[in-house]
Amino acid sequence: MLFNSIDFAIFLPIVFAIYWFALSRNRKLQNAFLVIASYVFYGWWDQRFLTLIFLSTVEDFFVAKQIAKTDDNKKRRRWLSVSLIFNLGMLGFFKYFNFFAENFANAFSLFGMEFSVPTLNIILPVGISFYTFQTLSYSIDVYRRKLEPCNDFIAFTAFVSFFPQLVAGPIERATNLLPQFYKERVFNYAKGVDGMKQILYGLFKKIVVADTCAKCVNPFFANYQDYPGADLIIASILFAFQIYCDFSGYSDIAIGTAKLFGFSLMRNFNFPYFSRDVAEFWRRWHISLTTWFRDYIYIPLGGSRVTLAKVIRNTFVIFLVSGFWHGARWTFIFWGLLNALYFLPLLLGKKNRKYLNTVAQDTFLPTPKELLQMLGTFTLITIAWIFFRAEGIDKALNMIAKCATDIVAHPASLLLCFRDVYKIAIIIVTVFVCIEWLGRKSQYAIENFLTTKPTALRWTMYYAFIIAIILSFGEKQDFIYFQF
């Protein structure tokens, strides 16, 4: 079920009403109802997916109990291995089987040997990369004794399948979300209003900004060879905003929806395109995934408390794994490698933690230096996004080469951005960037927007968002991260 669908617009109020009006006095019934609602939400795509998430839930629930039952470290490691093998094995089969099979065969062809490996017609379950990482974090945290195993199977099932963040995150830690299912929940009007505002802003990001950009981006990436470099540069910039608004829009809707039910999810984006270097960007982009890799891979490898050579190794491992997590394509792996190379000079110069505050914290506008830093960082990230979006590394390289040679030969061609095909998208993106800048010190841009102004002005803004969403609503576009 898509957040940006009529189905969800009907589903959410019904679930909300039953949850608060019929079950508000019984936490266990609320949890059981959330499980049912979440399974309906997830099964809306394909009922077969429900078997996988249920098996993952059962396996980690009982494995964690076995881990906690003994103080024998060998036994604890063996039970943890069961969780790792099961979850990563399931993820590997559905997401990477054909990738490895095809590349195994290609490796033989390099030596002039024909080797045929069968591939399977596998349907990738929606959100499998997200909920497997979520359940893995639970087993690992129990193993590390950071968390007591859950004794309430319904509460644990609700934690794993919680529908707002099930399909595309945020990837919640059991230490944050699971205890919230143990507590009595009372409806908080202020939190509900805040949730509705965040849902509204998330829908604006997705339907108005991301989907409008997609209409310009898709034709150019599909047939890049038919367009001049100026068009491709503009399409690449618009894709940068498409993927940001698409993914952070989903996160906003997820976090806002969770608030309606009395839950607090972790922040997933912190205005990443206002970053002054690549290290700052990665502290602000997909925070739930980057911190997952930090805590469960980077630090166990030694983190930054080892020799410089190992720190560099650990950094490249994280970025390459991040690329591979996104999908079974070499373009994703190259995208991860490119970001690691961006990160390397900052690491060597010990400047990777230079910018920990908000840009222009005490001023309205950035300094010229900060503006150039943000533009430079955005340019590097946009180049990397070309590899992320392209169908092959060769096509991405050809596209970049075409952009460079055409602009050098015809610099004035960038004025193409004022053509009708781009005009609406560029106006929308410009307005969006202004809103983001004004709200950059908040959890999400409109959290405190116009709160000190007259109520009529604030509601005018809300209605403007609603009208823009209605006018932009057309053919549903899937969220980009559903494929991961």
Side-chain angles (χ1 to χ4, degrees):
M1 192 180 296
L2 296 170
F3 282 162
N4 56 328
S5 68
I6 300 299
D7 297 332
F8 186 73
I10 297 170
F11 171 83
L12 181 59
I14 293 173
V15 174
F16 178 86
I18 296 173
Y19 179 85
W20 285 117
F21 293 106
L23 307 172
S24 61
R25 297 184 180 181
N26 192 314
R27 174 184 58 83
K28 290 190 175 181
L29 285 179
Q30 283 183 324
N31 288 344
F33 178 66
L34 283 177
V35 171
I36 294 169
S38 298
Y39 272 57
V40 169
F41 176 86
Y42 191 55
W44 209 261
W45 279 283
D46 193 322
Q47 294 178 4
R48 291 173 294 179
F49 296 165
L50 296 176
T51 303
L52 295 175
I53 193 170
F54 181 73
L55 288 174
S56 182
T57 302
V58 171
E59 184 271 339
D60 280 292
F61 180 79
F62 286 104
V63 162
K65 282 183 169 297
Q66 295 302 318
I67 291 173
K69 189 185 294 185
T70 178
D71 290 325
D72 186 322
N73 287 330
K74 288 184 178 180
K75 290 182 179 179
R76 290 170 63 84
R77 282 195 293 270
R78 280 201 293 267
W79 281 112
L80 178 62
S81 298
V82 171
S83 176
L84 292 169
I85 292 168
F86 179 87
N87 285 289
L88 296 179
M90 185 170 67
L91 182 62
F93 175 76
F94 284 98
K95 195 167 183 177
Y96 302 108
F97 178 86
N98 286 340
F99 174 80
F100 284 116
E102 290 168 2
N103 282 279
F104 184 73
N106 291 338
F108 277 88
S109 67
L110 292 175
F111 300 98
M113 300 166 57
E114 291 298 326
F115 192 84
S116 178
V117 177
T119 56
L120 303 176
N121 186 22
I122 300 172
I123 300 174
L124 180 64
V126 177
I128 190 171
S129 296
F130 290 87
Y131 69 73
T132 51
F133 270 38
Q134 187 156 307
T135 56
L136 266 179
S137 73
Y138 168 73
S139 298
I140 295 171
D141 284 346
V142 171
Y143 173 78
R144 292 177 174 178
R145 294 186 170 89
K146 290 183 176 181
L147 187 70
E148 289 296 319
C150 179
N151 294 314
D152 185 339
F153 182 71
I154 297 299
F156 184 73
T157 305
F159 155 72
V160 175
S161 63
F162 189 43
F163 75 88
Q165 48 84 227
L166 170 61
V167 176
I171 303 171
E172 275 295 340
R173 307 296 177 83
T175 49
N176 173 52
L177 183 56
L178 185 55
Q180 296 182 54
F181 287 97
Y182 303 154
K183 299 175 182 177
E184 299 296 331
R185 297 179 287 276
V186 178
F187 181 70
N188 184 307
Y189 178 78
K191 191 171 186 177
V193 170
D194 186 48
M196 289 298 295
K197 283 169 59 177
Q198 194 160 3
I199 291 170
L200 177 64
Y201 190 56
L203 289 170
F204 173 79
K205 281 181 174 179
K206 167 59 180 170
I207 296 173
V208 179
V209 186
D211 289 356
T212 300
C213 289
K215 294 173 185 175
C216 297
V217 168
N218 294 340
F220 292 106
F221 272 87
N223 302 287
Y224 72 93
Q225 63 277 4
D226 298 332
Y227 298 97
D231 286 275
L232 301 180
I233 289 174
I234 296 164
S236 300
I237 293 171
L238 291 179
F239 176 69
F241 283 100
Q242 179 196 351
I243 192 169
Y244 169 54
C245 290
D246 190 283
F247 193 16
S248 68
Y250 182 97
S251 293
D252 282 332
I253 299 169
I255 294 168
T257 302
K259 288 176 182 177
L260 294 181
F261 294 91
F263 292 88
S264 297
L265 301 182
M266 71 179 296
R267 189 180 192 178
N268 212 17
F269 289 88
N270 185 12
F271 306 99
Y273 287 157
F274 297 144
S275 301
R276 287 152 289 185
D277 61 32
V278 171
E280 185 183 9
F281 173 85
W282 281 107
R283 283 192 294 275
R284 294 172 175 270
W285 179 274
H286 201 175
I287 299 167
S288 65
L289 181 67
T290 54
T291 54
W292 199 100
F293 284 137
R294 179 198 66 196
D295 294 343
Y296 298 111
I297 298 180
Y298 183 75
I299 292 176
L301 284 174
S304 56
R305 297 185 177 183
V306 288
T307 63
L308 180 60
K310 289 184 177 179
V311 172
I312 293 171
R313 177 205 65 185
N314 296 345
T315 301
F316 272 79
V317 167
I318 289 298
F319 278 107
L320 290 172
V321 170
S322 177
F324 198 51
W325 176 89
H326 282 84
R329 285 209 327 238
W330 286 107
T331 50
F332 292 133
I333 297 172
F334 191 88
W335 168 79
L337 175 63
L338 186 56
N339 276 285
L341 292 172
Y342 288 162
F343 198 91
L344 186 58
L346 298 171
L347 188 65
L348 294 175
K350 297 183 178 180
K351 296 180 179 180
N352 53 302
R353 297 190 61 81
K354 183 177 181 180
Y355 298 112
L356 301 177
N357 64 329
T358 302
V359 65
Q361 178 72 47
D362 302 316
T363 59
F364 180 70
L365 293 174
T367 64
K369 179 183 177 181
E370 287 174 328
L371 181 60
L372 288 174
Q373 287 174 322
M374 287 189 291
L375 290 173
T377 302
F378 179 77
T379 299
L380 292 175
I381 295 300
T382 300
I383 291 171
W385 284 137
I386 294 174
F387 290 93
F388 190 94
R389 176 63 175 78
E391 294 179 1
I393 294 175
D394 56 336
K395 292 181 179 179
L397 291 171
N398 290 338
M399 185 173 171
I400 293 170
K402 189 174 179 63
C403 291
T405 54
D406 285 7
I407 290 304
V408 169
H410 307 288
S413 61
L414 275 175
L415 295 174
L416 285 170
C417 66
F418 294 103
R419 292 196 308 178
D420 288 341
V421 68
Y422 308 114
K423 194 175 292 182
I424 294 176
I426 288 177
I427 291 171
I428 288 173
V429 166
T430 302
V431 171
F432 167 72
V433 170
C434 292
I435 294 171
E436 289 271 289
W437 180 258
L438 292 172
R440 70 190 183 281
K441 298 174 187 177
S442 304
Q443 289 291 307
Y444 59 97
I446 67 169
E447 180 185 22
N448 300 307
F449 213 57
L450 302 177
T451 51
T452 60
K453 303 299 180 184
T455 302
L457 184 59
R458 194 162 59 250
W459 275 96
T460 299
M461 177 192 71
Y462 298 150
Y463 280 118
F465 278 124
I466 293 169
I467 291 168
I469 290 168
I470 293 171
L471 292 176
S472 301
F473 196 84
E475 182 181 350
K476 292 193 297 291
Q477 298 274 347
D478 285 353
F479 287 87
I480 293 173
Y481 266 68
F482 279 13
Q483 64 182 297
F484 307 133

